[in-house]
Amino acid sequence: MIVTFTANPSLDRTVALPGPLERGEVQRAVSVRQESGGKGVNVSRALVASGLESLAVLPGADSDPVLAGLRESAVPFVSLPIDEPLRTNVALTEPGGVTTKINEPGPVLAADQQEALIKLLLESSRGASWVVLAGSLPPGFPVDFYATVARRIREAGNGTTPLIAVDSSGAPLAAALTGDGTGTGGTSTGSGKPDLLKPNAEELAELAAAAGFAPATGDELEADPAAASAAAAAVVRSGVGAVLATLGSKGAVLVTADGAWLATHPPVAAVSTVGAGDSALAGYLLAHGRGAAPADCLRQAVAHGAAAASLPGSTVPAVHQTTPDAVTITALRKD
């Protein structure tokens, strides 16, 4: 089973426009879709759609629309009851897949609620093969929250510790790279480093700079897979198990201690890019759970991401909607 943890889930509303977004003007929507979201929630939705067992862990009142949506879509979950409503995120999509997102900050959780949320995850992840820590953090959470959670999962593992993937951005992602979560008794430990990081090109540039790689922009890494591979290799050398870096329409690179690969998919008619990266991570985990080699895990990741981009809103694809045979894999230098 794969457990996902979403500290800041959302109700995702996707508004499809008939043409380019016109600032300051009145525009009529072509369609509006609404789905339970947040990065970890999206990964669970994609895994369940493909027949894999997954459990989403998140905060939220029993009556919250996000939890209601998970029930309607038959995605198993456990939640920490809170009084405040979960946030609503709005995505505006233009023809061709250009997407503008407006994300709310989310509810404030007190320190005791944060601790209760961690304990709920620890209980729920016993026996899991992977734990995915994903998305932004609500206001007031420490930036090293994911590193702390990863460390505590490993402390509680008793020899059966799940693999840990992190998909976030900004300071929480940087803290996950260092692995310096707060240890027992307030000490600091490096055991919070993940087995897999899933950045996009912009996030990879930030991670690589923190790992001592020559400065580069996200656009430069997205345009040059070899540079992206070298940047990811710098992150792996810092102690992370593997880096799966999505490069938009250019595909994705996977770098481990043993190799580096680029995967590309023929162009698709993009409808919405919302959740495409989450679907890519789900595809990787799906293949990994089936015992696939790293390059084939990357193959399914790109197939899932491409399929998601061709679907409306934050709709996630099932594995039968993906085309892994269309993906081209190229071995790369790691540095």
Side-chain angles (χ1 to χ4, degrees), residues 161-281:
T161 304
L163 297 170
I164 298 172
V166 175
D167 182 2
S168 188
S169 60
L173 182 62
L177 173 64
T178 65
D180 291 332
T182 303
T184 303
T187 61
S188 181
T189 173
S191 64
K193 291 192 176 185
D195 299 286
L196 177 69
L197 280 176
K198 208 297 295 170
N200 59 26
E202 182 178 349
E203 293 156 355
L204 176 60
E206 296 174 357
L207 286 171
F213 185 73
T217 67
D219 288 343
E220 289 170 340
L221 296 184
E222 189 166 305
D224 186 353
S229 174
V235 177
V236 170
R237 287 194 296 272
S238 74
V240 173
V243 173
L244 170 65
T246 51
L247 307 177
S249 62
K250 301 299 178 64
V253 296
L254 174 67
V255 177
T256 72
D258 300 318
W261 303 267
L262 165 69
T264 58
H265 191 286
V268 300
V271 177
S272 171
T273 59
V274 179
D278 307 332
S279 289
L281 177 54

Side-chain angles (χ1 to χ4, degrees), residues 132-169:
V132 178
L133 310 175
S136 64
L137 295 174
F141 272 54
V143 295
D144 66 349
F145 185 78
Y146 285 145
T148 296
V149 170
R151 176 194 54 73
R152 291 185 59 177
I153 289 172
R154 291 189 173 118
E155 283 185 348
N158 297 321
T160 59
T161 304
L163 297 170
I164 298 172
V166 175
D167 182 2
S168 188
S169 60

